[in-house]
């Protein structure tokens, strides 16, 4: 089986690249996920990703406020250093 790929997007990369290029690079490279830093993500980013059939995995979420924000905008998953703090 193939390993599913993710396109990693840091804040500076996102700031200085055309946003449409980020999505086309993800699709052209057969990525299943797109992984932005939590600082740059919003509901429109998630909606656009989902319309392009990309799952959104956000990094690095280490507090409950960040987690709740992402939960409310339908992010598909998160990277964290402290998974135990998200257990309800």
């Amino acid at each position: 089986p193939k390993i599913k790929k993710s396109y990693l997007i840091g804040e500076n990369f996102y700031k200085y690249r055309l946003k449409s290029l980020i999505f086309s690079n993800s699709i052209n490279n057969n990525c299943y996920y797109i992984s932005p830093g939590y600082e740059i993500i919003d509901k429109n980013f998630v909606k656009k990703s989902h319309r392009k059939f990309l799952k959104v995995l956000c990094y690095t979420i280490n507090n409950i406020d960040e987690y709740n924000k992402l939960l409310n905008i339908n992010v598909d998953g998160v990277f964290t250093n402290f998974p135990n703090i998200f257990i309800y």
Side-chain angles (χ1 to χ4, degrees):
K2 290 185 178 181
I3 296 174
K4 293 179 179 172
K5 297 180 281 185
S6 182
Y7 194 66
L8 187 64
I9 305 163
E11 186 174 10
N12 286 335
F13 182 79
Y14 185 75
K15 207 184 290 187
Y16 299 110
R17 300 278 294 216
L18 293 173
K19 293 176 186 173
S20 60
L21 183 61
I22 290 169
F23 289 103
S24 64
N25 282 350
S26 299
I27 294 164
N28 292 340
N29 287 292
N30 297 313
C31 292
Y32 185 78
Y33 304 102
I34 192 164
S35 297
Y38 76 91
E39 306 90 351
I40 61 173
I41 198 166
D42 61 19
K43 192 169 193 91
N44 290 329
F45 184 96
V46 176
K47 283 182 178 180
K48 186 171 184 177
S49 299
H50 288 164
R51 279 196 309 270
K52 296 181 178 295
F53 304 103
L54 293 165
K55 300 278 187 187
V56 180
L57 302 177
C58 200
Y59 70 91
T60 302
I61 312 309
N62 286 326
N63 75 55
I64 198 72
D65 292 333
E66 294 164 358
Y67 176 83
N68 285 331
K69 174 195 168 201
L70 298 174
L71 187 64
N72 289 329
I73 62 172
N74 299 319
V75 167
D76 299 293
V78 297
F79 293 94
T80 183
N81 296 314
F82 308 105
N84 59 314
I85 67 173
F86 304 123
I87 298 172
Y88 289 88

